[in-house]
Amino acid sequence: MIISVASGKGGTGKTTVAVNLALALKDARFFDCDVEEPNAHIFLKPRLNRQEKVFIPVPEIDTAKCSFCGKCGEVCAYHALAVIKGEGGHQGEVLVFPHLCHGCGACSMLCPQGAIREVNKEIGTVESGSAGEISFVSGRLNVGEAVSPPVIRRVKEYLEPSKTAVIDAPPGTSCPVICAVKGSDFCILVTEPTPFGLHDLSLAVEVLRKMEIPFGVVINRSDIGDGKVEDYCAKENIPVLMRIPFSREIAEAYARGISLISAFPDFKGKFIEMRARIGTLLESGKAGR
Amino acid sequence: MKQITVISGKGGTGKTVISGAFAALAEKKVMVDCDVDAADLHLLLHPEIKERHEFKGGQLSVIDEVKCDKCGKCAAACRFGGISPVFKVEVFSCQGCGLCSRICPRGAIRMKEKIAGEWFVSDTAYGVLVHARLGIAEDNSGRLVSRIRQAAEKIAAAGGADYIIIDGPPGIGCPVIASLAGTDLILVVTEPTLSGLHDAARVIELAAHFKIPAALVVNKYDLNPGVTEKIEAFCLARNIPLTGKVPFDKTVVRAVVEGKVVTEYPGSPAAGEIRKIWDLLKD
Ligand code: SF4
Ligand code: SF4
């Protein structure tokens, strides 16, 4: 079973829910796919014993073979290559913008001169280890890199179908989120009861509906703001899985990198219950969809 | 003209609340909401849309089932798993690179341009807002950000604006890079939590990578004085100006719920501090 935890808006408590769900379950596997800003390690404090680099193939031009025909610049859909044709005795030039390259391979495959070879460029790292009984994998995009899905895909290669996996997804509604939640059996959307929270929740719901992934909602800081998130969930038939009230003590524990369950052991039962409820919702077809 | 990007790394630190307040405080400016994934600034500024533009971003493969003889060349060449074993395009995996359409021996694949979103130029009580809506589950947020920043620069130049104020997206990836490239200053809004500090440090590193000066604000600083001290020490060590510390203030939540910018609440301590920050930034 793969359960991903996402939110349209950042900072709603997504990592809190993901981390504590993993802590409450026995032998869960945790995957931090929020590779632009990975934070779960702050709370789980894993012992890491393996690190691997993530590369994407980017083109390198052999100017001795290149005829400056312009083909590669034309086929690259991401404008990662620009060909300057030679003129008046000046040799031409092929400019490569590696940070725009998606590593699709079109240029090297289609160059009529066989002048392009692919070289690996590092864009991030994946670290793995364990935090108590939880096995832990986390991806990290290098600062200055624009394209995070290859790092997310690499993290997800560690998924094992037999175990419960908790995925901490990035915020938003575009490519990185889709890459992270794709293939999940269930998605928990974390929100807060404010107009910002509601607006971004409704966008995230649209994403999951389009992807046909069943979902439910956790309302964090449930006693601030207004009642419109509750109304929305009721109207859209979306189950509310848990409500976490605002408290200075909870905020303080979070600030210092202490998980909810270690600070307030009562929450453990709530997370176990939530996991059971997800199972029933899926069986009965009553999850949000 | 000065361009200031308000950004945070980690979401939910109060970036949009602060950008919204700047909209009210700055005099001649154009506002841009670059959080095109989950734009929220309009919930405070209530724009009246004057111009609406389609954003064409990226492409998607379309297979002609009649012409396709299932040779499998496309699926073997695609690095994104964009073609399923039964030769259907996997719309959430296809990255629109177009390789398959170029190598298909039967010419059975064409690329279809996607309408990936919309962008708007609007009037608000505080001046012009350029904003956008990326289509659900769409790619290309970076290009949409560049598009609306271009539009805003034109409007600002034509109207003689002194500032462009940009509300940036969370993270450090493509839309963030597009939001801060070529700006004069980035203002990092963080909160006194270890995650907030960790993420702010990564955004500051990103700013340094692009050689853009950065300044910092700690929002809700009094919620955790211990971590605030750590952030202050971090700023000192890295030579990052700390422009202000905004106190936790229930008025902020009230303002968001009522859909207003926080400076409309005269007694609000948060609004008072944000005003001081703006006075510092503006010169
Ligand atoms: S396609 Fe090959 S030969 Fe043509 S410009 Fe590019 S690298 Fe040179
Ligand atoms: S591999 Fe693809 S994305 Fe990269 S430069 Fe070549 S054509 Fe462009």
Side-chain angles (χ1 to χ4, degrees):
Chain A
M1 162 88 86
I2 303 174
I3 301 174
S4 52
V5 185
S7 69
K9 175 173 155 49
T12 54
K14 178 175 62 59
T15 301
T16 298
V17 172
V19 160
N20 288 286
L21 177 60
L23 284 171
L25 303 174
K26 276 208 191 86
D27 71 357
R29 293 174 62 86
F30 191 94
F31 299 85
D32 195 344
C33 286
D34 189 357
V35 303
E36 289 181 42
E37 305 289 12
N39 282 150
H41 64 279
I42 295 175
F43 302 94
L44 286 172
K45 305 176 179 65
R47 200 172 310 140
L48 299 169
N49 49 31
R50 208 175 139 199
Q51 191 193 60
E52 60 162 323
K53 306 254 178 253
V54 182
F55 300 97
I56 62 166
V58 300
E60 191 178 78
I61 317 288
D62 180 345
T63 36
K65 285 190 191 158
C66 174
S67 65
F68 308 100
C69 70
K71 181 82 182 173
C72 55
E74 176 203 320
V75 302
C76 178
Y78 313 104
H79 310 286
L81 291 162
V83 182
I84 302 166
K85 302 208 166 149
E87 224 181 337
H90 286 289
Q91 214 202 0
E93 202 182 339
V94 180
L95 304 174
V96 183
F97 307 104
H99 61 285
L100 296 177
C101 174
H102 283 50
C104 73
C107 54
S108 56
M109 210 171 293
L110 298 168
C111 169
Q113 308 293 333
I116 304 182
R117 77 182 183 108
E118 295 188 306
V119 291
N120 275 337
K121 177 182 170 230
E122 185 195 319
I123 60 161
T125 46
V126 172
E127 291 176 313
S128 50
S130 57
E133 283 175 277
I134 302 169
S135 77
F136 178 92
V137 185
S138 168
R140 178 175 290 258
L141 182 71
N142 288 353
V143 170
E145 290 300 333
V147 187
S148 60
V151 183
I152 299 173
R153 280 194 285 269
R154 193 75 197 94
V155 173
K156 289 179 78 176
E157 279 169 28
Y158 287 78
L159 283 168
E160 263 174 48
S162 61
K163 298 217 173 117
T164 302
V166 178
I167 292 180
D168 190 356
T173 61
S174 61
C175 34
V177 191
I178 295 179
C179 184
V181 302
K182 203 174 160 230
S184 299
D185 298 293
F186 189 88
C187 182
I188 300 172
L189 291 174
V190 185
T191 190
E192 58 180 30
T194 65
F196 288 179
L198 174 59
H199 175 253
D200 300 345
L201 170 66
S202 65
L203 296 176
V205 164
E206 276 187 65
V207 173
L208 294 177
R209 284 189 172 147
K210 214 166 162 177
M211 300 181 75
E212 297 176 7
I213 296 173
F215 56 92
V217 164
V218 169
I219 307 179
N220 193 15
R221 300 186 274 267
S222 55
D223 46 355
I224 62 155
D226 57 17
K228 294 203 177 107
V229 166
E230 295 272 359
D231 297 347
Y232 167 83
C233 290
K235 190 174 117 254
E236 297 284 328
N237 277 324
I238 302 167
V240 175
L241 304 167
M242 192 190 293
R243 295 171 183 83
I244 305 172
F246 175 78
S247 93
R248 258 185 189 257
E249 292 77 44
I250 292 179
E252 202 134 291
Y254 175 88
R256 287 189 288 137
I258 298 168
S259 73
L260 193 57
I261 287 184
S262 357
F264 306 92
D266 286 0
F267 270 97
K268 184 165 181 177
K270 293 192 186 178
F271 279 96
I272 293 173
E273 242 168 67
M274 177 167 82
R275 169 67 184 86
R277 174 116 186 266
I278 290 172
T280 347
L281 285 169
L282 285 174
E283 272 164 36
S284 62
K286 292 221 171 84
R289 56 182 64 238
Chain B
M1 186 180 41
K2 231 175 155 180
Q3 298 202 38
I4 301 175
T5 302
V6 184
I7 213 144
S8 63
K10 175 173 161 39
T13 59
K15 172 178 62 61
T16 301
V17 165
I18 291 180
S19 315
F22 286 171
L25 294 168
E27 268 169 28
K28 289 161 76 185
K29 83 279 151 172
V30 172
M31 303 294 304
V32 194
D33 190 348
C34 285
D35 191 356
V36 297
D37 242 44
D40 281 337
L41 195 54
H42 66 280
L43 297 171
L44 299 179
L45 301 183
H46 310 284
E48 192 187 311
I49 294 174
K50 293 285 174 201
E51 286 175 33
R52 202 178 262 276
H53 302 267
E54 263 178 9
F55 169 67
K56 298 209 179 72
Q59 301 194 312
L60 188 69
S61 307
V62 183
I63 301 182
D64 181 337
E65 280 174 41
V66 181
K67 284 191 192 160
C68 168
D69 66 0
K70 305 194 175 8
C71 71
K73 282 212 167 102
C74 52
C78 178
R79 292 181 177 171
F80 308 112
I83 312 260
S84 78
V86 294
F87 299 97
K88 290 262 182 300
V89 176
E90 296 270 8
V91 286
F92 294 119
S93 298
C94 173
Q95 305 273 308
C97 73
L99 177 59
C100 55
S101 72
R102 292 179 190 274
I103 60 169
C104 172
R106 309 201 56 91
I109 306 183
R110 69 185 175 87
M111 300 307 292
K112 186 177 82 178
E113 194 161 33
K114 288 194 294 186
I115 309 263
E118 270 190 299
W119 60 276
F120 320 96
V121 178
S122 298
D123 268 349
T124 75
Y126 305 106
V128 180
L129 169 69
V130 187
H131 51 135
R133 184 182 165 149
L134 188 69
I136 288 303
E138 280 301 346
D139 206 331
N140 274 303
S141 46
R143 275 183 53 212
L144 181 52
V145 166
S146 307
R147 186 70 200 83
I148 62 175
R149 281 195 51 202
Q150 252 173 32
E153 276 167 32
K154 248 192 170 161
I155 295 165
D162 295 328
Y163 303 99
I164 296 179
I165 298 169
I166 298 165
D167 188 12
I172 58 163
C174 53
V176 179
I177 292 174
S179 302
L180 52 81
T183 58
D184 300 287
L185 178 74
I186 73 159
L187 182 68
V188 180
V189 179
T190 190
E191 57 178 26
T193 65
L194 290 181
S195 325
L197 174 56
H198 173 263
D199 296 351
R202 273 165 73 81
V203 178
I204 288 168
E205 212 184 306
L206 185 67
H209 185 95
F210 289 100
K211 304 198 169 48
I212 301 168
L216 195 116
V217 172
V218 188
N219 192 19
K220 302 182 249 187
Y221 81 92
D222 45 348
L223 276 188
N224 198 297
V227 182
T228 296
E229 267 169 39
K230 272 195 187 152
I231 296 175
E232 286 172 312
F234 167 85
C235 285
L236 211 64
R238 298 285 190 92
N239 217 351
I240 309 279
L242 180 65
T243 51
K245 295 192 288 183
V246 180
F248 176 73
D249 176 358
K250 288 217 162 112
T251 323
V252 172
V253 180
R254 205 178 117 206
V256 171
V257 168
E258 290 173 2
K260 290 183 183 160
V261 300
V262 68
T263 46
E264 284 181 37
Y265 301 77
S268 152
E273 181 69 14
I274 297 172
R275 186 168 283 124
K276 276 192 223 150
I277 295 169
W278 176 250
D279 286 339
L280 258 177
L281 287 185
K282 90 185 166 194
D283 338 290

